[in-house]
PDB file of all heavy atoms in Angstrom:
ATOM      1  N   VAL B 274      76.635  19.191 169.046  1.00 93.00           N
ATOM      2  CA  VAL B 274      75.546  18.850 169.968  1.00 93.00           C
ATOM      3  C   VAL B 274      75.886  19.361 171.373  1.00 93.00           C
ATOM      4  O   VAL B 274      75.022  19.890 172.082  1.00 93.00           O
ATOM      5  CB  VAL B 274      75.295  17.326 169.945  1.00 93.00           C
ATOM      6  CG1 VAL B 274      74.416  16.910 171.113  1.00 93.00           C
ATOM      7  CG2 VAL B 274      74.642  16.931 168.624  1.00 93.00           C
ATOM      8  N   THR B 275      77.154  19.224 171.763  1.00 94.00           N
ATOM      9  CA  THR B 275      77.572  19.763 173.067  1.00 94.00           C
ATOM     10  C   THR B 275      77.370  21.275 173.121  1.00 94.00           C
ATOM     11  O   THR B 275      76.858  21.820 174.112  1.00 94.00           O
ATOM     12  CB  THR B 275      79.056  19.429 173.320  1.00 94.00           C
ATOM     13  OG1 THR B 275      79.212  18.012 173.307  1.00 94.00           O
ATOM     14  CG2 THR B 275      79.530  20.004 174.640  1.00 94.00           C
ATOM     15  N   ALA B 276      77.762  21.955 172.035  1.00 94.00           N
ATOM     16  CA  ALA B 276      77.620  23.409 172.020  1.00 94.00           C
ATOM     17  C   ALA B 276      76.147  23.810 172.075  1.00 94.00           C
ATOM     18  O   ALA B 276      75.777  24.771 172.767  1.00 94.00           O
ATOM     19  CB  ALA B 276      78.276  23.976 170.759  1.00 94.00           C
ATOM     20  N   MET B 277      75.294  23.071 171.348  1.00 94.00           N
ATOM     21  CA  MET B 277      73.866  23.403 171.371  1.00 94.00           C
ATOM     22  C   MET B 277      73.270  23.132 172.742  1.00 94.00           C
ATOM     23  O   MET B 277      72.403  23.882 173.203  1.00 94.00           O
ATOM     24  CB  MET B 277      73.132  22.596 170.298  1.00 94.00           C
ATOM     25  CG  MET B 277      73.418  23.082 168.887  1.00 94.00           C
ATOM     26  SD  MET B 277      72.564  22.054 167.672  1.00 94.00           S
ATOM     27  CE  MET B 277      73.358  22.625 166.170  1.00 94.00           C
ATOM     28  N   ALA B 278      73.719  22.061 173.388  1.00 95.00           N
ATOM     29  CA  ALA B 278      73.226  21.783 174.739  1.00 95.00           C
ATOM     30  C   ALA B 278      73.572  22.948 175.664  1.00 95.00           C
ATOM     31  O   ALA B 278      72.741  23.398 176.466  1.00 95.00           O
ATOM     32  CB  ALA B 278      73.836  20.477 175.263  1.00 95.00           C
ATOM     33  N   ALA B 279      74.794  23.459 175.527  1.00 94.00           N
ATOM     34  CA  ALA B 279      75.181  24.610 176.350  1.00 94.00           C
ATOM     35  C   ALA B 279      74.294  25.813 176.023  1.00 94.00           C
ATOM     36  O   ALA B 279      73.920  26.586 176.914  1.00 94.00           O
ATOM     37  CB  ALA B 279      76.651  24.950 176.117  1.00 94.00           C
ATOM     38  N   GLY B 280      73.951  25.983 174.736  1.00 94.00           N
ATOM     39  CA  GLY B 280      73.070  27.077 174.362  1.00 94.00           C
ATOM     40  C   GLY B 280      71.700  26.948 175.007  1.00 94.00           C
ATOM     41  O   GLY B 280      71.140  27.926 175.525  1.00 94.00           O
ATOM     42  N   LEU B 281      71.151  25.733 175.005  1.00 94.00           N
ATOM     43  CA  LEU B 281      69.841  25.520 175.628  1.00 94.00           C
ATOM     44  C   LEU B 281      69.906  25.782 177.125  1.00 94.00           C
ATOM     45  O   LEU B 281      68.988  26.381 177.705  1.00 94.00           O
ATOM     46  CB  LEU B 281      69.360  24.087 175.356  1.00 94.00           C
ATOM     47  CG  LEU B 281      68.958  23.804 173.908  1.00 94.00           C
ATOM     48  CD1 LEU B 281      68.634  22.321 173.724  1.00 94.00           C
ATOM     49  CD2 LEU B 281      67.757  24.662 173.515  1.00 94.00           C
ATOM     50  N   VAL B 282      70.980  25.318 177.759  1.00 94.00           N
ATOM     51  CA  VAL B 282      71.146  25.558 179.200  1.00 94.00           C
ATOM     52  C   VAL B 282      71.179  27.059 179.470  1.00 94.00           C
ATOM     53  O   VAL B 282      70.531  27.558 180.407  1.00 94.00           O
ATOM     54  CB  VAL B 282      72.436  24.873 179.702  1.00 94.00           C
ATOM     55  CG1 VAL B 282      72.831  25.391 181.075  1.00 94.00           C
ATOM     56  CG2 VAL B 282      72.257  23.365 179.718  1.00 94.00           C
ATOM     57  N   THR B 283      71.923  27.794 178.637  1.00 91.00           N
ATOM     58  CA  THR B 283      72.013  29.236 178.858  1.00 91.00           C
ATOM     59  C   THR B 283      70.663  29.897 178.649  1.00 91.00           C
ATOM     60  O   THR B 283      70.278  30.808 179.384  1.00 91.00           O
ATOM     61  CB  THR B 283      73.022  29.867 177.878  1.00 91.00           C
ATOM     62  OG1 THR B 283      74.168  29.051 177.823  1.00 91.00           O
ATOM     63  CG2 THR B 283      73.388  31.264 178.316  1.00 91.00           C
ATOM     64  N   PHE B 284      69.944  29.447 177.605  1.00 91.00           N
ATOM     65  CA  PHE B 284      68.647  30.044 177.308  1.00 91.00           C
ATOM     66  C   PHE B 284      67.707  29.884 178.506  1.00 91.00           C
ATOM     67  O   PHE B 284      66.979  30.807 178.868  1.00 91.00           O
ATOM     68  CB  PHE B 284      68.046  29.370 176.076  1.00 91.00           C
ATOM     69  CG  PHE B 284      66.817  30.046 175.563  1.00 91.00           C
ATOM     70  CD1 PHE B 284      66.924  31.184 174.777  1.00 91.00           C
ATOM     71  CD2 PHE B 284      65.555  29.567 175.868  1.00 91.00           C
ATOM     72  CE1 PHE B 284      65.799  31.828 174.302  1.00 91.00           C
ATOM     73  CE2 PHE B 284      64.427  30.205 175.408  1.00 91.00           C
ATOM     74  CZ  PHE B 284      64.547  31.341 174.624  1.00 91.00           C
ATOM     75  N   ARG B 285      67.750  28.725 179.138  1.00 91.00           N
ATOM     76  CA  ARG B 285      66.810  28.419 180.209  1.00 91.00           C
ATOM     77  C   ARG B 285      67.270  28.970 181.550  1.00 91.00           C
ATOM     78  O   ARG B 285      66.438  29.430 182.344  1.00 91.00           O
ATOM     79  CB  ARG B 285      66.647  26.894 180.261  1.00 91.00           C
ATOM     80  CG  ARG B 285      65.706  26.368 181.327  1.00 91.00           C
ATOM     81  CD  ARG B 285      64.275  26.756 181.043  1.00 91.00           C
ATOM     82  NE  ARG B 285      63.415  26.406 182.177  1.00 91.00           N
ATOM     83  CZ  ARG B 285      63.338  27.130 183.277  1.00 91.00           C
ATOM     84  NH1 ARG B 285      64.054  28.231 183.401  1.00 91.00           N
ATOM     85  NH2 ARG B 285      62.533  26.765 184.257  1.00 91.00           N
ATOM     86  N   TRP B 286      68.577  28.886 181.820  1.00 89.00           N
ATOM     87  CA  TRP B 286      69.071  29.250 183.153  1.00 89.00           C
ATOM     88  C   TRP B 286      70.144  30.320 183.095  1.00 89.00           C
ATOM     89  O   TRP B 286      71.164  30.246 183.772  1.00 89.00           O
ATOM     90  CB  TRP B 286      69.647  28.001 183.857  1.00 89.00           C
ATOM     91  CG  TRP B 286      68.624  26.971 184.197  1.00 89.00           C
ATOM     92  CD1 TRP B 286      67.691  27.047 185.177  1.00 89.00           C
ATOM     93  CD2 TRP B 286      68.432  25.695 183.571  1.00 89.00           C
ATOM     94  NE1 TRP B 286      66.917  25.904 185.195  1.00 89.00           N
ATOM     95  CE2 TRP B 286      67.356  25.059 184.216  1.00 89.00           C
ATOM     96  CE3 TRP B 286      69.059  25.031 182.520  1.00 89.00           C
ATOM     97  CZ2 TRP B 286      66.882  23.787 183.844  1.00 89.00           C
ATOM     98  CZ3 TRP B 286      68.598  23.777 182.155  1.00 89.00           C
ATOM     99  CH2 TRP B 286      67.527  23.166 182.812  1.00 89.00           C
TER     100      TRP B 286
END
Side-chain angles (χ1 to χ4, degrees):
Chain B
V274 167
T275 300
M277 287 178 192
L281 289 174
V282 165
T283 316
F284 189 80
R285 180 68 188 79
W286 293 287

